[in-house]
C-alpha cells in the first residue's frame, strides 16, 4: 500500500493577494468559504504559521505542527511587498532573488535552501495511506519540484496558489498523482482513500 501526500496551500492572505513576502502571523482572508475535509487520512501535518493553523481549523483537520513545513524564511523582506523591497533595498537585490535560486542576501533562506528542506520532508517515513500537509503555496510548489526531481530554478514554471492541492504518491520516490483547485480535493469518495483505509476527517 503506497503512501500519498496531499499538499494544500493555506487559504488566501493579504500577502498572497499582492505577491508579498508574508509575515509569520498574517491572518487568512475572511472571504474564504471553508468546508470540512471528509477524506480518509492517516496523518495531518501543517506549517507553524498562524495562517496554516487557521486553514486547518477551517477544514476541520487536526494537524500536528511540523517546522519542516514552514514557509520560506524571507529574512528582512518578511512582511514587505515587492515594491517595498525595491524601495527599501533596491531593485538589484530583488532581481538577484528572481534569477539566482541560491541567493539569500535578505538574511533568510534561498530557494535552493527551501527546496533542500522540503526534499528532506518528503524523505520522512510515513504510514501507508493519505497524509494531509497544509503549508504555504511556495512550499507546495517546492514539494512538487522535489517529487519530480526538478531544480529550484523551475519554481517559476509551477503554478499552485492558495488552497490548491497537489497529491503525490510513492515515497521515497514520488510521482505526481494530480493537481486540483479547491474544493475538488475535498472529495469524500476517493477510491484510493477507501482502498487505503484510515480515519475520516469530520
Amino acid at each position: 500500500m503506497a503512501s500519498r501526500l496531499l499538499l494544500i496551500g493555506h487559504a488566501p492572505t493579504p500577502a498572497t493577494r499582492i505577491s508579498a513576502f508574508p509575515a509569520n502571523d498574517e491572518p487568512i482572508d475572511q472571504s474564504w468559504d471553508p468546508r470540512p475535509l471528509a477524506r480518509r487520512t492517516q496523518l495531518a501535518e501543517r506549517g507553524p504559521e498562524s495562517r496554516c493553523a487557521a486553514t486547518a481549523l477551517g477544514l476541520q483537520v487536526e494537524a500536528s505542527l511540523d517546522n519542516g513545513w514552514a514557509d520560506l524564511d524571507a529574512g528582512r523582506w518578511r512582511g514587505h511587498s515587492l515594491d517595498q523591497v525595491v524601495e527599501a533595498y533596491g531593485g538589484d537585490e530583488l532581481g538577484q532573488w528572481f534569477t539566482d535560486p541560491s541567493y539569500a542576501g535578505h538574511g533568510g533562506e534561498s530557494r535552493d535552501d527551501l527546496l533542500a528542506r522540503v526534499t528532506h520532508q518528503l524523505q520522512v517515513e510515513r504510514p501507508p495511506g493519505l497524509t494531509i500537509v497544509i503549508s504555504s503555496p511556495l512550499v507546495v510548489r517546492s514539494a512538487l519540484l522535489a517529487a519530480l526531481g526538478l531544480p529550484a530554478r523551475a519554481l517559476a514554471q509551477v503554478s499552485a496558489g492558495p488552497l490548491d492541492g497537489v497529491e503525490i504518491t510513492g515515497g521515497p520516490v514520488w510521482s505526481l498523482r494530480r493537481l486540483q483547485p479547491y474544493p475538488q480535493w475535498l472529495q469524500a469518495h476517493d477510491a484510493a482513500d477507501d482502498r487505503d483505509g484510515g480515519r475520516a476527517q469530520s
Side-chain angles (χ1 to χ4, degrees):
M1 190 184 301
S3 295
R4 289 179 293 123
L5 288 181
L6 174 58
L7 299 121
I8 302 164
H10 60 64
T13 68
T16 63
R17 298 292 187 191
I18 61 171
S19 299
F21 295 96
N24 287 340
D25 59 351
E26 187 178 51
I28 61 174
D29 192 328
Q30 295 304 308
S31 66
W32 173 43
D33 178 26
R35 307 180 192 181
L37 178 73
R39 293 177 62 175
R40 291 183 174 274
T41 63
Q42 297 290 347
L43 289 174
E45 304 169 355
R46 65 170 178 84
E49 296 83 12
S50 60
R51 54 191 179 274
C52 295
T55 302
L57 183 63
L59 296 173
Q60 297 181 27
V61 171
E62 294 184 12
S64 60
L65 186 155
D66 188 331
N67 287 317
W69 294 119
D71 200 356
L72 174 88
D73 178 0
R76 64 177 183 270
W77 295 356
R78 190 182 293 117
H80 290 64
S81 69
L82 300 184
D83 287 343
Q84 289 171 332
V85 170
V86 171
E87 183 178 351
Y89 306 107
D92 288 345
E93 286 196 22
L94 193 61
Q96 281 188 271
W97 162 258
F98 281 115
T99 57
D100 181 2
S102 68
Y103 177 78
H106 47 53
E109 290 179 299
S110 69
R111 288 175 291 159
D112 282 340
D113 293 335
L114 174 62
L115 182 59
R117 172 161 58 84
V118 172
T119 297
H120 174 74
Q121 287 295 100
L122 295 188
Q123 295 169 348
V124 173
E125 186 174 354
R126 295 179 177 84
L130 183 65
T131 294
I132 303 295
V133 174
I134 300 170
S135 188
S136 75
L138 185 59
V139 169
V140 172
R141 290 162 57 202
S142 297
L144 180 55
L145 295 188
L148 299 179
L150 297 174
R153 191 177 300 278
L155 270 171
Q157 298 170 264
V158 178
S159 178
L163 294 175
D164 282 341
V166 172
E167 190 168 339
I168 57 177
T169 184
V173 178
W174 296 94
S175 299
L176 174 63
R177 185 165 186 251
R178 57 190 172 190
L179 194 160
Q180 294 180 304
Y182 180 80
Q184 290 182 15
W185 46 260
L186 287 171
Q187 178 59 259
H189 302 293
D190 185 284
D193 296 346
D194 293 338
R195 184 171 61 250
D196 293 341
R199 62 183 186 274
Q201 295 282 345
S202 60

